[in-house]
Amino acid sequence: MYQVNDNYQKLPGSYLFSTIGKKVNAFTEANPEKSIIRLGIGDVTQPLAPAIIEALHKAVDEMANAETFRGYAPDLGYEFLRSAIAKNDYEARGCNITADEIFVSDGAKSDSGNIQEIFSVNNKIAVCDPVYPVYVDSNAMAGRTGTYDMAAEKWSNVIYMPCTRENNFVPEFPKETPDIIYLCLPNNPTGTTVTKAQLQEWVDYANKVGAVIIYDGAYEAYISEEDVAHSIYECEGAKTCAIELKSFSKNAGFTGVRLGYAVVPKELKCGEVSLHSMWARRHGTKFNGAPYIVQRAGEAVYSEAGKAQLKEQVAYYMKNAATIKNGLQDAGYEVYGGVNAPYIWLKTPEKMTSWEFFDYLLENANVVGTPGSGFGPSGEGYFRLTAFGSYENTVAALERIKAL
Amino acid sequence: MYQVNDNYQKLPGSYLFSTIGKKVNAFTEANPEKSIIRLGIGDVTQPLAPAIIEALHKAVDEMANAETFRGYAPDLGYEFLRSAIAKNDYEARGCNITADEIFVSDGAKSDSGNIQEIFSVNNKIAVCDPVYPVYVDSNAMAGRTGTYDMAAEKWSNVIYMPCTRENNFVPEFPKETPDIIYLCLPNNPTGTTVTKAQLQEWVDYANKVGAVIIYDGAYEAYISEEDVAHSIYECEGAKTCAIELKSFSKNAGFTGVRLGYAVVPKELKCGEVSLHSMWARRHGTKFNGAPYIVQRAGEAVYSEAGKAQLKEQVAYYMKNAATIKNGLQDAGYEVYGGVNAPYIWLKTPEKMTSWEFFDYLLENANVVGTPGSGFGPSGEGYFRLTAFGSYENTVAALERIKAL
C-alpha cells in the first residue's frame, strides 16, 4: 500500500492567502452591498506597460507562422532574455554575473519553493521572522523543519531571526549556525531593508560559517535609498555563498504573466559539487521553460521604452505607499516600511492581535490587509498593507481608516 | 556547513535530450554544409491554430487595460478553463470528473516531475521500460530509487516493466508489488498503447494491491482506434486509484506555450488523507498559476473553431507518422507504433545498439532520432522517430533513410 508524504500532515492550517480569500468571500457573501478595498495580497492592479503589450502581440504573431514558430525553449531560457538580464540587472550595477548563470523561470514563487530541493534534508534553515511563508512551508514539505508547535507557532527545527521594531527590523546573526539562510530584502512583509554594509556582513558571515544564502530580491525595483544594494552580488564574496531570486511580478506587473529568474553563480560550490550544475539538472528535468511570448515580454522590460514606462509604474505605486504611510501616521498609527518597498507595516493598535485587526478593518472599514502573524510569530501585533491598489482606492481606503 | 542533496550525484550522465542536443551541435559545427532533419525530440513544428492566436491577442489586449487586467490567477486555474476541460475531456466521454478536480499547470513535464512529492520517500515505483525519463529521474532526485547500476543501466529500487516486441509492448503485472505505478499511454517512446480492457485490468490491480497509478495521457489526441481509452477514468474504479496528467503540448502545439493539467479525484484517498488536498497545498505553496493569456489560449482549444483546426493539425502529424511507418517498412525495418501516437519505434538493424544507430543515422542520413536505450534498458536495440516534423522534411528524411 502506497503512503503519502507525511510532512504535509504536519503543516498548520492552510496557506495564508487562501485563508484570507475565504474570509473575504464569506464577508462579501454576507454583505453584498459593501464595497471592499483590497490592500492585502501583493497583487498589482495597473495594466501592462505599452512596450510589453507590443512585444506580446509581436510574439503571438510569430507563433502563427511556421517560419517563426517556437516550440520548446532552451533549458535555461532564451539567450535574448538572459543577456538582457545580465546586462541591465548586473553589468550595469558592476556585478560580474554572466548570462549562463541566469535561469529563467515561471516566477520567484516557484523558484523560492523549489530551490530547497538541491540541498540535503538534514540542513537547517534560518529565516527572518516575519517573512514570506513559502520558504518555511516548502522546507516543511521536504521534512527539514521538525515538528510544528501550535502554541508557539514555530517549527522545532527552524532558526527564526526576529525582525521587529526593537532591532529596527535588521536580523541578527543567530546563536546556532544555520546551513541555509533565507533573506528577502527589501523584506516582504515589513517593507524594511538593510544597508549595503549590513548585507556585506551577512555575506561575510555566510562565507565564514559555510552557509548558503537564498536571496529573494523580488522588490528590488522599489529601492529608493542610495545605500541599499539592488543585488547581493554588489557585496564582495557573494558569488561563493549566494543564490539570488528575482521576479518580474512587482517591477513589471507580471503577477498574471509569470516570469522570474534565479542566479546560481558558477563559483558557488559545496566541496567539489557545483550548485549551478545541480540547478541546471533540476531545471532540465522538472521544468520546460517559460512561454516564448512571456520571455519576449520580459525582454521588453529592458527596452528603453519599457524602462521609462515601468519607472512611472513603480512611481505610481510608491505614491500609494506614501499615501498609506502618511495617512496612517496622521491617524496615529506606528508605521514602518514604504520607502524601499511597496509594503507598509503597521503596529496594531490597543494590543489587538493581527487577526483581530484584520477582522476589525474588514468589518468596519471594508479594507482587506494581511495579518502580520501570518508571516511568522514575530509578526504578531503587526499588519501589512500594500501599495498595489489603484491610487483612488488607496486614498479611499485611508479615508475610511482615518474615519474609524 | 551546508550539504547538497546527494541523490543528484547518483544520477547517471545528463538528461537525454541535452545529450542529443550536444551531439547534434558538435556534428553541425563540424559539418556546416549538411542539412539536418530533426525527428528526435518530440517538439511540434506547425504554427498555433488561428483560433488560439485570436484568443491570445484578445487576452493580451485585456492585459493592457486596468478594467480587464488580470493579476494572480486562482490557485487551481481559471474556472473558464477548468470547466472547458471538464466538459470536453471528461463529461463528453462519460467520465464523472468535475472542474474542481482539475489543477491547471504549466505543462505535463512539471506535473510529471512534481507529483512524486506528495508521496512517501519509502514508496517503490514501477515504470514501463522504456519510458519518458522524467518519472525515474524525479524519483531519483527525491531518493526513492536506490543506487544506479551503470552496467545494467538500472536503479536498484525501481520496478521495471519491460515493454518489448516479445510482449507486444503491453506491461505485465510485476512480481513485486509497487506503491506507485507510472503508465504513459499511448506510450512515449514506443508509440504503442493498450486496449481499454487491458487498462481496466491495471485499474483493478492497483485498487486490489493498494497502489496509485500516475497516468500520463499526453498523447491522447492521437488515438485512432476505437477500443483505446482516452482517459483512465473511462475505467471502473479509476477514481480511487489514479491521478491523470494531461498536456496541451501535443494536441494543440503548446510546447512553447506551456499548459497542462492534473486530475486528482476527490475520492482518491490514502486512509483518511485526501490526495486532492495535498496536491492543492503543493500547488498553492510552490506554484502561482499558468499565465492568464495562456489559460485563455487553452480555452480556445475547446472552441468549435479550435477543435476543427486542431483535428486538422493532428491529422497532419499522423500523415507524417504513416509516411515514416510505411517508408521504414518499405526499407525493410521492423516498425511499431504510429497508429495511436505520433511516435514510430523501430528495431535497429544488424544488432546495432541504439546509440550506434543514432550516430549512423546522423552521419549518413543527417537525420536526428532518439536512441531507445535513453528511455530505459529495454529500449536498447530500438530507436524513436517522431511525426512532429514538417511533411516535406518527413518525406525527405525517409528518402534519405531508404537510400542508405
Side-chain angles (χ1 to χ4, degrees):
Chain A
M1 175 76 193
Y2 74 95
Q3 298 297 323
V4 295
N5 175 351
D6 56 15
N7 295 310
Y8 276 61
Q9 272 60 59
K10 299 177 195 163
L11 288 162
S14 65
Y15 187 62
L16 175 62
F17 296 111
S18 311
T19 309
I20 291 172
K22 281 173 196 161
K23 273 195 177 244
V24 174
N25 286 343
F27 182 82
T28 50
E29 271 173 37
N31 303 275
E33 77 290 358
K34 298 280 173 73
S35 139
I36 299 277
I37 300 179
R38 290 162 201 270
L39 303 179
I41 190 165
D43 197 0
V44 298
T45 52
Q46 292 300 295
L48 294 180
I52 294 163
I53 293 291
E54 192 185 325
L56 282 167
H57 278 307
K58 187 162 167 256
V60 169
D61 283 334
E62 287 182 72
M63 297 297 275
N65 289 295
E67 293 72 32
T68 50
F69 176 82
R70 308 278 188 129
Y72 290 122
D75 273 2
L76 275 65
Y78 279 102
E79 178 66 28
F80 61 76
L81 176 57
R82 290 158 58 217
S83 295
I85 293 168
K87 186 179 161 204
N88 290 279
D89 289 349
Y90 296 101
E91 201 184 299
R93 298 193 187 287
C95 303
N96 181 24
I97 294 292
T98 54
D100 61 356
E101 294 174 307
I102 293 163
F103 296 76
V104 174
S105 75
D106 67 326
K109 185 176 178 187
S110 306
D111 284 342
S112 299
N114 294 332
I115 194 72
Q116 47 77 29
E117 287 180 30
I118 64 170
F119 299 100
S120 164
V121 289
N122 299 317
N123 282 351
K124 189 154 189 171
I125 69 164
V127 292
C128 291
D129 170 24
V131 84
Y132 183 50
V134 169
Y135 314 142
V136 171
D137 286 0
S138 58
N139 277 284
M141 289 169 168
R144 224 175 257 110
T145 58
T147 52
Y148 190 73
D149 180 336
M150 294 294 278
E153 294 184 316
K154 284 188 179 184
W155 291 89
S156 62
N157 199 38
V158 170
I159 299 169
Y160 293 87
M161 304 184 291
C163 297
T164 61
R165 57 183 177 176
E166 283 73 27
N167 61 11
N168 209 19
F169 302 96
V170 177
E172 292 152 31
F173 300 133
K175 283 174 198 153
E176 187 184 356
T177 303
D179 300 304
I180 304 170
I181 301 162
Y182 286 84
L183 295 177
C184 175
L185 295 167
N187 184 259
N188 173 10
T190 66
T192 61
T193 192
V194 304
T195 64
K196 185 175 163 184
Q198 287 169 325
L199 185 60
Q200 181 67 58
E201 288 178 27
W202 275 96
V203 169
D204 295 342
Y205 170 80
N207 275 320
K208 190 178 115 198
V209 303
V212 66
I213 295 174
I214 309 297
Y215 190 78
D216 181 347
Y219 302 96
E220 172 270 317
Y222 294 85
I223 293 170
S224 69
E225 293 183 317
E226 278 294 317
D227 63 346
V228 176
H230 287 254
S231 163
I232 196 167
Y233 303 114
E234 291 180 36
C235 297
E236 285 285 329
K239 288 179 77 176
T240 56
C241 71
I243 290 171
E244 182 162 288
L245 311 180
K246 285 275 182 74
S247 168
F248 287 74
S249 288
K250 309 301 161 74
N251 65 331
F254 273 32
T255 54
V257 179
R258 310 308 313 140
L259 193 67
Y261 65 86
V263 178
V264 188
K266 293 195 170 176
E267 291 170 42
L268 182 59
K269 289 186 178 178
C270 179
E272 292 300 302
V273 181
S274 156
L275 272 67
H276 182 278
S277 299
M278 289 184 74
W279 191 240
R281 187 72 192 249
R282 197 272 169 207
H283 228 58
T285 302
K286 298 195 197 179
F287 181 61
N288 234 333
Y292 172 69
I293 52 178
V294 169
Q295 294 196 48
R296 282 290 182 201
E299 182 187 36
V301 167
Y302 299 103
S303 67
E304 287 312 307
K307 281 194 265 196
Q309 290 159 8
L310 292 170
K311 199 172 163 186
E312 273 181 49
Q313 197 174 80
V314 166
Y316 176 94
Y317 290 131
M318 286 310 276
K319 186 175 157 198
N320 290 346
T323 301
I324 299 172
K325 187 161 186 148
N326 297 335
L328 288 172
Q329 280 171 338
D330 290 350
Y333 286 90
E334 191 182 324
V335 186
Y336 304 94
V339 175
N340 295 302
Y343 294 126
I344 310 302
W345 190 242
L346 65 100
K347 191 81 194 71
T348 56
E350 293 163 24
K351 297 188 177 169
M352 274 180 170
T353 68
S354 299
W355 277 109
E356 280 167 0
F357 190 72
F358 175 90
D359 292 333
Y360 170 77
L361 214 61
L362 178 60
E363 281 159 28
N364 298 291
N366 311 141
V367 170
V368 180
T370 311
S373 58
F375 298 98
S378 294
E380 182 58 272
Y382 293 89
F383 197 78
R384 189 189 79 173
L385 290 172
T386 91
F388 288 126
S390 69
Y391 179 67
E392 295 69 27
N393 277 345
T394 304
V395 170
L398 265 292
E399 289 305 317
R400 292 186 194 175
I401 292 172
K402 283 193 220 172
L404 288 176
Chain B
M1 176 76 192
Y2 75 94
Q3 299 298 323
V4 294
N5 175 351
D6 56 14
N7 295 311
Y8 276 61
Q9 273 59 60
K10 300 177 196 163
L11 288 163
S14 65
Y15 187 61
L16 174 63
F17 296 111
S18 311
T19 309
I20 292 173
K22 282 172 196 161
K23 273 195 178 244
V24 174
N25 285 343
F27 181 82
T28 50
E29 271 173 37
N31 303 277
E33 77 291 356
K34 298 281 174 71
S35 139
I36 299 277
I37 301 179
R38 291 163 199 268
L39 304 179
I41 190 165
D43 198 358
V44 297
T45 52
Q46 291 301 295
L48 295 180
I52 293 164
I53 294 292
E54 192 185 326
L56 282 168
H57 278 307
K58 187 163 168 253
V60 169
D61 284 334
E62 287 183 72
M63 297 296 276
N65 288 295
E67 293 72 31
T68 49
F69 175 82
R70 307 279 188 130
Y72 290 122
D75 273 2
L76 276 64
Y78 279 102
E79 178 66 29
F80 62 77
L81 177 57
R82 290 158 58 217
S83 295
I85 293 167
K87 186 180 162 203
N88 290 278
D89 289 351
Y90 295 101
E91 202 184 300
R93 298 194 187 286
C95 302
N96 181 25
I97 295 291
T98 54
D100 60 357
E101 293 175 306
I102 294 162
F103 295 76
V104 174
S105 76
D106 66 327
K109 185 176 179 189
S110 305
D111 284 342
S112 298
N114 294 332
I115 195 73
Q116 47 78 28
E117 287 182 29
I118 63 170
F119 298 100
S120 164
V121 289
N122 298 319
N123 283 351
K124 188 152 191 173
I125 69 163
V127 293
C128 290
D129 171 23
V131 84
Y132 182 51
V134 169
Y135 314 141
V136 171
D137 287 1
S138 59
N139 277 285
M141 289 169 167
R144 223 174 259 112
T145 59
T147 53
Y148 190 73
D149 180 336
M150 296 293 278
E153 296 185 312
K154 285 188 179 185
W155 291 88
S156 62
N157 199 39
V158 169
I159 299 169
Y160 293 86
M161 303 184 291
C163 295
T164 62
R165 57 183 178 177
E166 284 71 26
N167 61 11
N168 208 19
F169 302 96
V170 177
E172 291 152 33
F173 300 131
K175 283 175 199 154
E176 186 184 358
T177 304
D179 300 304
I180 304 171
I181 301 162
Y182 286 85
L183 294 178
C184 175
L185 295 167
N187 185 259
N188 173 10
T190 66
T192 60
T193 194
V194 303
T195 64
K196 185 175 162 183
Q198 287 168 323
L199 185 60
Q200 181 67 56
E201 287 176 27
W202 275 97
V203 169
D204 294 341
Y205 171 80
N207 274 321
K208 190 177 116 196
V209 303
V212 66
I213 295 174
I214 310 296
Y215 190 79
D216 182 346
Y219 301 95
E220 172 270 319
Y222 294 85
I223 293 171
S224 70
E225 293 183 316
E226 279 294 316
D227 62 347
V228 176
H230 287 253
S231 162
I232 196 168
Y233 303 114
E234 291 180 36
C235 296
E236 285 284 329
K239 289 180 77 175
T240 55
C241 71
I243 290 171
E244 182 162 287
L245 311 180
K246 285 275 182 76
S247 167
F248 287 74
S249 288
K250 309 303 160 73
N251 65 331
F254 273 33
T255 56
V257 179
R258 311 308 312 140
L259 192 66
Y261 65 85
V263 178
V264 189
K266 293 196 170 177
E267 290 169 41
L268 182 57
K269 290 187 177 177
C270 179
E272 291 299 302
V273 180
S274 156
L275 273 68
H276 182 279
S277 299
M278 290 184 75
W279 190 240
R281 189 70 193 249
R282 198 272 169 207
H283 227 59
T285 301
K286 298 195 196 179
F287 181 62
N288 233 334
Y292 171 68
I293 53 179
V294 170
Q295 294 196 48
R296 281 292 183 199
E299 181 187 37
V301 167
Y302 298 103
S303 67
E304 285 312 308
K307 281 194 266 195
Q309 290 160 8
L310 292 170
K311 199 173 165 186
E312 273 182 49
Q313 197 173 80
V314 166
Y316 177 94
Y317 290 130
M318 287 309 276
K319 186 177 158 196
N320 290 346
T323 302
I324 300 172
K325 188 161 186 150
N326 297 335
L328 288 171
Q329 279 170 339
D330 290 350
Y333 287 90
E334 191 182 323
V335 185
Y336 304 94
V339 175
N340 295 301
Y343 294 127
I344 310 300
W345 190 241
L346 64 100
K347 192 80 195 72
T348 57
E350 293 164 23
K351 295 187 179 169
M352 276 182 169
T353 68
S354 299
W355 278 108
E356 280 167 1
F357 190 71
F358 174 90
D359 291 333
Y360 170 78
L361 214 60
L362 177 60
E363 281 159 28
N364 298 292
N366 310 141
V367 170
V368 180
T370 310
S373 58
F375 298 99
S378 296
E380 182 57 273
Y382 294 90
F383 197 77
R384 191 189 76 174
L385 290 173
T386 89
F388 288 126
S390 69
Y391 179 67
E392 295 70 27
N393 277 344
T394 304
V395 169
L398 266 292
E399 289 306 317
R400 293 186 193 175
I401 292 172
K402 283 193 224 170
L404 287 176

